[in-house]
Amino acid sequence: MFTFKKRIAALVSAMAITALALSGCAGAGPDSDESSAESTQGTGTLTIGTIVASTTFAANNAPWSNESPYLQAVYDTLLHAEPDGTVVPWLATDWSYNDDMTVLTLNLRDDVTFTDGTKFDASAAAQNLLRFRDGTSPQKGYLATLADAKAVDATTLELTLNSPNPSLLSFLTQNPGLQQSPATFDAADEKTNPVGSGPYILDTKATVVGSAYVFTKNPDYWAPESQHYAKVVMNVYTTPTAVLNALKGGQINGAPVSDSAMIAQLEPAGLTVQTQQLNFFGLLLFDRDGAIEPALADVRVRQAINYAFDRKALLESVGQGNGKVTSSIFSPDSSGYVKDLDDFYSYDPEKAEELLAEAGYAAGDITLKMPTSSGFAPATYALVKQYLSDVGINVEEVGVTPTSFLSDLLAAKYASTVMMLKTAPTSWETVTLDLLPSSGWNPFRVKDATVAELAATIQSGTEEEAEAAAKELNEYIVEQAWFAPWYRPDLNYATDAKTSVEPQSGNSYPYLWNFVPKQ
Amino acid sequence: MLSFIARRVASGIVLVIAISVIAFALLYAGGGDIARRMLGEDASPETVAQKATELGLDQPLTQQFLTWASGLIRGDLGTSWFTSQPVSDAILSRLSVTLSLVFGAIVVVAFASVILGTLAATRRGWIDTAVQVLSLLATAIPAFLVALGLVLVFAVNLGWFKPTGYVQFTDSPAGWLSSITLPITALALGGIAGVTQQIRGSMIDSLRGDYVRTLRSRGLNAPSVLFQHVLRNAAGPGLAVLGVQFVGLIGGAVIIEQIFAIPGMGQVAVTATSQGDIPLVMGLVVVTAILVVILNLLVDLAQGWLNPKVRLS
């Protein structure tokens, strides 16, 4: 018979043993002892922080941006993009268009093999492209004009388009260009066990899905010079504080820092922070034809709204001073960027009132119904209300749950809203995302003859004609006040003293091969 | 005893079913357009509709629940919409992490509470006052603040422990200890305060009891009276509080796992819930409910084991 003391001791011991045993059964976590980048190229471990888990490794459904590091580790793309966005050869060594830019012919490498032993060839590439077009990737629209993809021979791939796509080469450097082994198409585990021809192989045993992804070097990689590390670990952090602690504690070599207020703590700790601007923040004025808010059909009202905001003050108060004020939605990386447009609308409430009066509206005549989401700081909405109220425009706020905010906006339920959208790296992408009647961010399907004409030139004109048209379109959209942007917020990426990296134009994460251990 | 266990198991099953139905309804009520959120702002309406069909979201709600429930009966909890991982794999790999965190915390709570509660009840005076004040402070300061303070001081500044992440015990016992010490400390502090007070109070009551006076008058030495009789009587209420604390600690682990980026159930629960990953959330709900039912049953059995009077009642 146990004594009471022995029983207590036995109970506690059992609990402790169970805890130890259970901890031993857990999935693998990152070992920080290995997390530092070593100086010898191709031998160390790169550990980076990410802010989302991989939703899928199935190439046909894969997203990009925040998930690009996962996909770049295991898959090759047909083309590569330099940090400044310049398209360079990769699996495709060279390419050419026909005269009307509806047929793209690419010559492919003949020395590439997927990690399951399947040979990469033009047939595999064609299958991947068509499968992406028909899949459910958020960016599947990038290949919407792809009529057909066929292998002319083992190393010649021919893409036929319904209409020219000036951004196609750029798109082939991203998820549309991912090459998965056709032998694994529709495999039961293709979403979690990728088979590509990329520089690394996912170590599924060491990976804790949703938390830490471990990749080991592909020993048979055809381009070993781009394998700067022997092992790559990607840790998912769901809070900015965890990212900060991991960076300061030396557990990761690099990570995006979403909260600019944290930068002040990183630089004294020996970390380097690089910034780029990939989004614009401000008001979207959807209802340019006045379908549900008639006043917005008058360009003077839309211009008045633009003059009503003190962009510099908004950047300081809402954006904590980290960014660049602008009146345009075009990216500085795109051909349509016009620097002078950044300052096109000054803060001029008197002019705003004059424009409203010219349009026939007295103070209080216009009430804009705007959705509010917890995704943006409440102070932002208070400022919008204040600035517009100062020129005589009322704002009626409608609380919307974050889970339906996006859907409501895209379903044309509101004439205007506070929103952050990406500034696309190419002008054609800006056109297709935001400006055409078919664009997702033109939910009221507004048609405009000038926009259509300039868009056609951007799509089918020569490079010079397209660039001139893009600039003209940018100026037109700003003058017509289709939007009321305030500023382009800084996106920050921090790296430790052992790692150097170049930010990638148009992408929130540096591309994987841009990470190099410092010598 | 067997009928007692059978009744508890039956009521547990009813509880799990009720919780599942409510959770499913609530998730859909606040779910919004999940396919849109999955695909983001760039996806066309056609792609969103295609994704919704792929996920079965175009089916009536009752049909979706029945599909999920029939899978559950077959032992198939489905696949996470946001990580593509089978839900059962996701939970199994994370359950062990959370349980090691919670078990670790409960061991610390049990040890520290018995020591502090006994000291406070037997010595009284300044020790008692100090224990009371410290308990009050530990109760008043939220666990996440304690966690943030611990990370800043002992991990980031002093570098003694890992600020984030989790290392398997089998990979590196030292690494495991380094990764789990601060989270367990942060998680256990509030529990220590509660259980210490319970043990202290129960022991003071027991020490005033007639049977203690009788035992002492029979010449039993003080340690025997204290540990074999007084502590044994005080252990019942303490264990009951410890059981409640265990459930509370599972909740507390949600915050702690977020702060320390520990790949446990709490972390995945927060992410899955905010994303609207219904298969994963439902799996977590069911497993947690079963865990709590089993735990309550074990606490009842342990109380009976420690104190025969409970068995009689």
Side-chain angles (χ1 to χ4, degrees), chain A residues 403-481:
Chain A
T403 53
S404 57
F405 184 68
L406 206 51
S407 303
D408 285 359
L409 297 187
L410 293 167
K413 289 186 180 175
Y414 298 97
S416 57
T417 182
V418 171
M419 187 60 182
M420 186 168 344
L421 284 185
K422 82 170 176 182
T423 54
T426 65
S427 298
W428 178 244
E429 220 178 318
T430 301
V431 169
T432 54
L433 284 173
D434 304 321
L435 305 178
L436 295 176
S438 58
S439 301
W441 286 103
N442 183 5
F444 285 83
R445 307 295 167 218
V446 175
K447 289 181 187 170
D448 184 290
T450 307
V451 171
E453 186 187 330
L454 292 169
T457 308
I458 295 170
Q459 183 178 20
S460 305
T462 63
E463 199 172 323
E464 292 75 24
E465 288 169 343
E467 182 171 338
K471 285 184 170 31
E472 196 179 333
L473 178 61
N474 189 3
E475 284 168 9
Y476 180 75
I477 291 297
V478 172
E479 282 168 10
Q480 288 295 307

Side-chain angles (χ1 to χ4, degrees), chain A residues 257-258 260 275-277 321-324 487-492:
Chain A
V257 180
S258 58
S260 294
T275 61
Q276 56 177 346
Q277 295 151 5
N322 300 299
K324 174 89 175 65
Y487 58 87
R488 291 188 296 269
D490 285 343
L491 279 180
N492 314 296

Side-chain angles (χ1 to χ4, degrees), chain A residues 67-356:
Chain A
E67 295 187 40
S68 56
Y70 302 113
L71 299 158
Q72 288 174 336
V74 293
Y75 292 124
D76 277 317
T77 43
L78 288 177
L79 298 169
H80 257 200
E82 297 283 3
D84 67 356
T86 307
V87 177
V88 295
W90 200 244
L91 292 183
T93 53
D94 56 271
W95 55 89
S96 60
Y97 269 111
N98 67 343
D99 287 344
D100 67 0
M101 294 184 69
T102 54
V103 178
L104 174 66
T105 306
L106 301 108
N107 291 314
L108 308 180
R109 299 189 68 91
D110 62 1
D111 58 350
V112 179
T113 305
F114 294 106
T115 54
D116 63 351
T118 306
K119 185 90 176 156
F120 167 75
D121 58 15
S123 169
Q127 290 177 63
N128 269 290
L129 286 163
L130 293 174
R131 195 165 177 255
F132 185 90
R133 181 196 63 184
D134 301 331
T136 55
S137 165
Q139 285 82 34
K140 70 175 279 187
Y142 285 177
L143 294 188
T145 59
L146 179 68
D148 195 17
K150 66 177 181 187
V152 176
D153 56 46
T155 58
T156 310
L157 173 68
E158 190 176 274
L159 308 185
T160 309
L161 308 177
N162 291 322
S163 58
N165 182 345
S167 300
L168 182 60
L169 294 176
S170 173
F171 291 156
L172 294 180
T173 70
Q174 303 171 33
N175 44 353
L178 294 171
Q179 297 301 304
Q180 179 182 334
S181 168
T184 63
F185 286 175
D186 302 321
D189 62 348
E190 71 164 333
K191 291 177 179 175
T192 53
N193 188 13
V195 179
S197 60
Y200 298 93
I201 298 168
L202 179 68
D203 182 346
T204 51
K205 285 185 181 163
T207 291
V208 181
V209 174
S211 183
Y213 294 78
V214 180
F215 302 87
T216 54
K217 192 192 263 186
N218 177 358
D220 304 318
Y221 193 48
W222 63 274
E225 68 279 2
S226 68
Q227 293 171 299
H228 301 304
Y229 299 89
K231 185 176 170 185
V232 175
V233 180
M234 299 181 195
N235 292 337
V236 184
Y237 295 101
T238 51
T239 65
T241 308
V243 174
L244 181 72
N245 290 336
L247 282 168
K248 288 175 73 180
Q251 286 191 299
I252 50 177
N253 302 116
V257 180
S258 58
D259 187 349
S260 294
M262 291 178 171
I263 294 171
Q265 298 180 54
L266 291 172
E267 285 171 343
L271 291 140
T272 304
V273 180
Q274 300 185 76
T275 61
Q276 56 177 346
Q277 295 151 5
L278 302 177
N279 301 307
F280 71 90
F281 188 43
L283 281 193
L284 310 184
L285 306 176
F286 294 132
D287 193 11
R288 296 137 199 153
D289 285 342
I292 60 172
E293 180 46 67
L296 284 183
D298 193 317
V299 66
R300 290 168 296 190
V301 173
R302 300 198 301 268
Q303 288 171 337
I305 291 171
N306 268 277
Y307 281 115
F309 291 108
D310 185 345
R311 289 169 167 77
K312 285 179 185 164
L314 281 161
L315 174 60
E316 288 303 318
S317 57
V318 180
Q320 298 169 324
N322 300 299
K324 174 89 175 65
V325 294
T326 187
S327 304
S328 153
I329 66 164
F330 279 67
S331 163
D333 293 333
S334 72
S335 60
Y337 178 67
V338 180
K339 192 171 186 307
D340 289 348
L341 293 178
D342 282 340
D343 304 315
F344 188 86
Y345 290 105
S346 55
Y347 176 48
D348 195 341
E350 286 174 11
K351 190 164 185 175
E353 286 173 317
E354 285 169 20
L355 284 164
L356 288 170

Side-chain angles (χ1 to χ4, degrees), chain A residues 15 26 32 55 138 140 251 407, chain B residues 33 50 84 106 162 164 168:
Chain A
M15 289 166 78
S32 72
T55 51
K140 70 175 279 187
Q251 286 191 299
S407 303
Chain B
D33 189 344
Q50 194 182 342
S84 303
I106 213 80
K162 289 178 186 297
T164 62
Q168 288 185 81

